[in-house]
Amino acid sequence: GLEAVSLLAVSDNVRAWPGGTGSHKVAGNYSPGFLPQKAAAQQGYDQILWLFGEDRRITEAGAMNFFVVVKRDDGDGLDLITAPLDGTILPGVTRASCLALAGDPEFQKETSLRLHPQEKVYTMSDLAKWSSEGKLLEALAIGTAVIIGPCNRIGYEGKDIVIPGNGLGPVGTALRKKILDIQEGRAEWKGWAVVCS
């Protein structure tokens, strides 16, 4: 199993700015994280959760995309939420794959999950509210190397938002399994890859 990572939400430093290179895989996107990462480690956190703007919009986790799984108010399954591609978010292939799978009725039937993928602005206030209401079910760091990894707590303003469990939940597990099965040739999926004998 994957070890869950802890995140320190940071708003004093910025990973990417609108009109900059945040949506591209360039070396300059990583250097802003060195000092905040060191500070996070000194406080006992594994990675940074990058916030942006006065409303503390959630963007990315370290050098990875960030998703949350939230129980819907209408009882119709779960929302899988990530920040929109606004020029500050890296449009990673794993990010795109998770959104595509989550919205696919065949995947939902196969996994018995009712998912509603959403690309929308959400803030630390939203995250804290969902947590206090028991609606925040999973937090996921998503990227090429990790595929999908769990987050277990998020430090913000001297307190921790604790994510249930200490590993991947049902959504993260199902997405990770399907992506790895496709990558490693155990499954085909709608032309994403062709299994060669």
Side-chain angles (χ1 to χ4, degrees):
L2 292 169
E3 188 173 325
V5 296
S6 56
L7 305 172
L8 178 63
V10 171
S11 59
D12 294 340
N13 300 81
V14 177
R15 185 198 77 86
W17 198 267
T21 60
S23 61
H24 302 282
K25 197 86 163 165
V26 296
N29 290 341
Y30 300 95
S31 58
F34 294 153
L35 190 58
Q37 177 61 47
K38 184 177 179 181
Q42 290 171 343
Q43 294 178 57
Y45 295 91
D46 301 311
Q47 281 286 347
I48 297 295
L49 179 63
W50 294 104
L51 308 179
F52 184 80
E54 290 183 16
D55 57 351
R56 307 295 191 255
R57 282 172 273 161
I58 294 171
T59 62
E60 297 199 334
M64 299 168 284
N65 296 126
F66 184 72
F67 284 64
V68 291
V69 177
V70 179
K71 192 183 310 181
R72 290 172 62 96
D73 290 331
D74 63 8
D76 183 27
L78 308 169
D79 287 328
L80 180 68
I81 303 170
T82 193
L85 298 178
D86 62 359
T88 66
I89 304 296
L90 189 67
V93 68
T94 310
R95 175 189 184 278
S97 300
C98 287
L99 289 169
L101 281 172
D104 191 294
E106 190 176 325
F107 175 77
Q108 292 187 24
K109 183 177 179 185
E110 179 182 305
T111 60
S112 300
L113 293 168
R114 177 80 171 121
L115 300 174
H116 302 270
Q118 297 184 33
E119 296 176 82
K120 71 176 192 176
V121 171
Y122 64 111
T123 66
M124 280 305 298
S125 294
D126 294 326
L127 212 61
K129 180 177 181 284
W130 294 329
S131 176
S132 69
E133 294 172 347
K135 295 178 184 173
L136 180 61
L137 305 179
E138 298 181 49
L140 307 168
I142 294 178
T144 304
V146 71
I147 310 298
I148 299 170
C151 304
N152 61 358
R153 67 186 174 105
I154 301 167
Y156 181 61
E157 295 183 342
K159 298 179 182 176
D160 278 347
I161 295 173
V162 177
I163 314 301
N166 197 28
L168 285 176
V171 176
T173 299
L175 289 168
R176 180 177 169 81
K177 180 182 183 319
K178 178 55 79 176
I179 290 173
L180 283 172
D181 284 349
I182 294 165
Q183 287 181 345
E184 296 173 1
R186 291 185 295 274
E188 293 186 41
W189 191 260
K190 307 195 178 198
W192 286 14
V194 178
V195 177
C196 300
S197 304

